[in-house]
């Protein structure tokens, strides 16, 4: 059974930093990508950052230079270091995993499994 548990969310001021962590287990796929998505009320989930099976990162334009994604295969964790946070980054952040065919394939669209999310609030 796939389990993804997010932690590290909270409230910070404009320009502050947070580090999110996702502990994952039970992934049955031979190849997969991992990703952070976010969602605000009334909106769909949007891709923030992801890593393919090889660990190569991919970022949404609006977080490039501010966020860093990292995967630790030994600990089965996926972290998201978020710096220079803005009020527009306020959202529920979700960790997800998706089966892929190729090792270089990145996450896109819906994921196969999701965590319950962690709230990030940035005040101005």
């Amino acid at each position: 059974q796939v389990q993804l548990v997010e932690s590290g969310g909270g409230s910070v001021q404009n320009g502050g930093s947070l580090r999110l962590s996702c502990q994952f287990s039970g992934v049955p796929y031979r190849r997969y990508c991992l990703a952070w998505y976010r969602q605000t009320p009334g909106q769909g989930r949007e891709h923030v950052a992801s890593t393919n099976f090889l660990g190569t990162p991919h970022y949404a334009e609006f977080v490039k230079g501010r966020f860093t994604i990292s995967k630790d295969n030994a600990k089965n964790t996926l972290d998201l270091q978020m710096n220079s946070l803005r009020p527009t980054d306020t959202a529920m952040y979700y960790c997800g995993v998706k089966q892929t065919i190729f090792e270089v394939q990145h996450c896109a669209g819906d994921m196969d499994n999701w965590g319950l999310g962690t709230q990030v609030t940035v005040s101005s």
Side-chain angles (χ1 to χ4, degrees):
Q1 181 179 356
V2 179
Q3 285 194 319
L4 302 122
V5 180
E6 302 95 335
S7 62
S11 296
V12 296
Q13 293 201 328
N14 189 22
S17 298
L18 282 173
R19 188 176 184 89
L20 306 184
S21 186
C22 173
Q23 180 76 55
F24 59 92
S25 62
V27 177
Y29 315 124
R30 185 173 180 180
R31 298 177 187 85
Y32 54 88
C33 63
L34 291 159
W36 285 98
Y37 278 62
R38 68 187 187 186
Q39 185 173 23
T40 54
Q43 301 296 318
R45 290 184 187 181
E46 64 177 352
H47 173 268
V48 175
S50 58
T51 67
N52 62 14
F53 188 74
L54 299 176
T56 304
H58 176 67
Y59 298 97
E61 283 296 326
F62 54 81
V63 302
K64 281 184 178 178
R66 300 190 299 127
F67 292 9
T68 303
I69 192 169
S70 57
K71 182 173 71 166
D72 188 324
N73 291 323
K75 297 180 180 179
N76 280 358
T77 57
L78 181 74
D79 288 356
L80 185 69
Q81 177 65 42
M82 305 188 296
N83 299 327
S84 302
L85 282 162
R86 306 165 180 167
T88 51
D89 294 318
T90 295
M92 184 72 80
Y93 283 71
Y94 296 91
C95 175
V97 62
K98 183 174 184 175
Q99 184 178 10
T100 58
I101 299 173
F102 306 108
E103 292 180 344
V104 296
Q105 189 175 345
H106 275 286
C107 293
D110 201 8
M111 305 294 277
D112 292 319
N113 308 93
W114 294 101
L116 296 179
T118 185
Q119 177 68 37
V120 171
T121 302
V122 185
S123 58
S124 57

